[in-house]
Amino acid sequence: MTHSAGRDGGPLGPGTGASADGRGLARRRRRRWARYGAGAVAVIVLGAGVAGWAVYVKLDGNITPDEAAAAELARYAKERPTSLVKGAQNVLLIGSDSRSGDGNDEYGRDSGTERSDTTILLHLAAGRRSATAVSLPRDLMVDVPGCRRPDGTRTEPTFVMFNYAFQAGGSACTIRTVEKLTGVRIDHHVVVDFSGFKDMVDAVDGVQVCLSEPISDKAARLRLPAGKVTLDGEQALGYVRARKSLGNGSDTGRMDRQQRFLGALVNKVQSNDVLLNPVKLYPVLDAATSSLTTDPDLASLRGLYELVRDLGDIPTEHVQFLTVPRESYVYNANRDQLVEPEAEKLFERLRTDTPVAVSQEVPTKSPAARPGDYGPYRARSANDKAFRAVSPSPPAPTFRGNTAAGDDCG
């Protein structure tokens, strides 16, 4: 009598595919551990994915979309300038002096109003070959259009200091004022308050600046030695806001410091690989997104990251900072007015995405052209075609400013 059941996996022998020396049992155990291992890996990957998604959702939800500004700008869509160059972008950066919100009340009593402490028009060239940041003085006398107040009432058009626009009608009023002044279409805007600025500086472990002399400013809570100094968030805020105790006390000097600081910040972000290191990038993004109010199109982690990435790809020598050509207002030395035609030349280059040249030396005004003059040459005749063929084109205007590659410490 044969016991075939044993060969078929019955009670008397090993099952199909097994061997008497236990190799079949070992294979079954290996398959079991492989299944357990695959399951563990799946759990880890899933967990990482869930954690990553949770981080994304948190950062994405930090950003406040400026829906009210979007609605107000849509109301005036027909009067806004059009974009002239595909791919170029213009972003209005607004530093708010609001005392409301976490951490801002320590800088003064919340009066229920806020003004634009700093306003910068950032032009990103098509192809991201360069970035040009133009400071607009808060004391500049401008035409502010009628704007919607937070309570729903509307202001009347008026000729007043530039920072009144933000106080009267928030970011939408500031954008309309800038567009009316420059003819440049604003594609995006970003508003950051005191607390948010400090958090971003602290998130990159401070920013180094070089001081030609010690600073002691009680109002700005600033006491610093001369030489190389790494500023934390609180010190950086005092440094960019101080006015009366530094330099000649003018707003122009303050804007120069702001520009040098932003250049140093760009250098810091690019030099220590913040954008490529998730461990370094997360606190920066968390600090940045927690303090930002932006237009709805930019109010997402993806939109914000694409903007920062574009800036990160531009060489520091092509990241330029300058102040719009300005001078004391003819009727009040404590106010500013544009210098023409220099200001219009700058705005026209921004509108047409034409390169801008900057120099730390204040450019001198070129003498007015005389009939028959072509730059350094003098025409022999208005009909001299040979002469006109070799006459050079006018050089690009140079504006007072600097680049992010500049080093104050030499």
Side-chain angles (χ1 to χ4, degrees), residues 47-266:
V50 170
W53 177 250
V55 168
Y56 180 89
V57 170
K58 178 185 184 301
L59 295 177
D60 200 56
N62 282 348
I63 308 171
T64 303
D66 199 346
E67 302 287 358
E72 179 72 355
L73 292 174
R75 178 187 179 100
Y76 294 95
K78 292 183 179 179
E79 74 174 32
R80 299 183 65 193
T82 57
S83 299
L84 301 180
V85 179
K86 183 178 181 181
Q89 292 275 300
N90 296 296
V91 185
L92 197 65
L93 309 176
I94 304 172
S96 166
D97 71 354
S98 172
R99 270 63 173 180
S100 65
D102 294 341
N104 291 321
D105 56 350
E106 61 183 284
Y107 300 101
R109 183 177 61 86
D110 179 16
S111 62
T113 63
E114 55 182 334
R115 291 167 296 182
S116 50
D117 200 54
T118 300
T119 305
I120 295 175
L121 174 55
L122 175 64
H123 175 76
L124 300 174
R128 302 302 178 260
R129 64 181 184 274
S130 67
T132 302
V134 181
S135 295
L136 300 173
R138 63 182 185 179
D139 296 340
L140 187 67
M141 299 300 293
V142 297
D143 287 307
V144 175
C147 296
R148 183 183 185 277
R149 295 190 183 100
D151 64 5
T153 61
R154 306 196 73 84
T155 65
E156 294 294 326
T158 183
F159 184 69
V160 70
M161 284 172 53
F162 172 64
N163 67 349
Y164 169 79
F166 193 73
Q167 178 182 348
S171 51
C173 192
T174 300
I175 290 169
R176 292 178 59 216
T177 300
V178 171
E179 290 184 339
K180 183 179 181 68
L181 179 73
T182 66
V184 174
R185 170 77 177 215
I186 303 301
D187 302 294
H188 300 292
H189 69 276
V190 176
V191 182
V192 61
D193 60 20
F194 293 157
S195 181
F197 176 83
K198 293 192 306 181
D199 289 345
M200 283 187 281
V201 174
D202 287 334
V204 296
D205 297 325
V207 174
Q208 180 179 279
V209 297
C210 197
L211 306 177
S212 58
E213 57 186 25
I215 296 177
S216 180
D217 188 318
K218 185 177 181 180
R221 307 179 185 184
L222 209 56
R223 192 176 183 85
L224 301 170
K228 292 183 179 180
V229 181
T230 298
L231 306 180
D232 62 21
E234 187 72 40
Q235 293 169 326
L237 180 63
Y239 178 72
V240 300
R241 295 193 70 237
R243 181 172 180 174
K244 295 182 179 179
S245 66
L246 299 181
N248 61 6
S250 70
D251 201 37
T252 299
R254 192 176 74 125
M255 288 185 291
D256 286 346
R257 286 197 309 279
Q258 292 171 353
Q259 292 164 10
R260 289 196 298 271
F261 181 84
L262 290 175
L265 177 60
V266 170

Side-chain angles (χ1 to χ4, degrees), residues 156-404:
E156 294 294 326
T158 183
F159 184 69
V160 70
M161 284 172 53
F162 172 64
N163 67 349
Y164 169 79
F166 193 73
Q167 178 182 348
S171 51
C173 192
T174 300
I175 290 169
R176 292 178 59 216
T177 300
V178 171
E179 290 184 339
K180 183 179 181 68
L181 179 73
T182 66
V184 174
R185 170 77 177 215
I186 303 301
D187 302 294
H188 300 292
H189 69 276
V190 176
V191 182
V192 61
D193 60 20
F194 293 157
S195 181
F197 176 83
K198 293 192 306 181
D199 289 345
M200 283 187 281
V201 174
D202 287 334
V204 296
D205 297 325
V207 174
Q208 180 179 279
V209 297
C210 197
L211 306 177
S212 58
E213 57 186 25
I215 296 177
S216 180
D217 188 318
K218 185 177 181 180
R221 307 179 185 184
L222 209 56
R223 192 176 183 85
L224 301 170
K228 292 183 179 180
V229 181
T230 298
L231 306 180
D232 62 21
E234 187 72 40
Q235 293 169 326
L237 180 63
Y239 178 72
V240 300
R241 295 193 70 237
R243 181 172 180 174
K244 295 182 179 179
S245 66
L246 299 181
N248 61 6
S250 70
D251 201 37
T252 299
R254 192 176 74 125
M255 288 185 291
D256 286 346
R257 286 197 309 279
Q258 292 171 353
Q259 292 164 10
R260 289 196 298 271
F261 181 84
L262 290 175
L265 177 60
V266 170
N267 263 312
K268 180 66 178 285
V269 171
Q270 288 194 358
S271 65
N272 65 358
D273 297 327
V274 168
L275 298 179
L276 301 177
N277 187 329
V279 176
K280 294 180 179 179
L281 181 60
Y282 175 78
V284 175
L285 288 177
D286 189 37
T289 55
S290 296
S291 62
L292 296 184
T293 298
T294 76
D295 59 280
D297 288 342
L298 201 60
S300 70
L301 188 59
R302 178 178 180 180
L304 187 64
Y305 180 73
E306 287 177 352
L307 176 64
V308 174
R309 183 193 60 195
D310 285 348
L311 279 170
D313 290 340
I314 300 172
T316 53
E317 61 269 21
H318 294 157
V319 179
Q320 303 176 125
F321 300 92
L322 65 146
T323 299
V324 64
R326 43 74 56 197
E327 62 188 1
S328 294
Y329 180 46
V330 65
Y331 297 114
N332 186 339
N334 294 320
R335 303 289 180 261
D336 291 332
Q337 65 184 26
L338 295 179
V339 175
E340 298 294 3
E342 283 76 8
E344 177 53 31
K345 289 179 181 178
L346 172 61
F347 300 150
E348 199 269 339
R349 297 184 86 80
L350 296 179
R351 289 193 294 266
T352 58
D353 197 31
T354 307
V356 172
V358 298
S359 171
Q360 292 189 14
E361 299 298 323
V362 181
T364 58
K365 282 190 176 182
S366 57
R370 296 171 296 175
D373 281 354
Y374 292 82
Y377 300 99
R378 185 174 177 83
R380 294 187 296 271
S381 165
N383 296 319
D384 192 337
K385 295 181 180 179
F387 174 80
R388 290 201 302 274
V390 298
S391 296
S393 58
T398 299
F399 301 94
R400 185 178 183 276
N402 57 76
T403 72

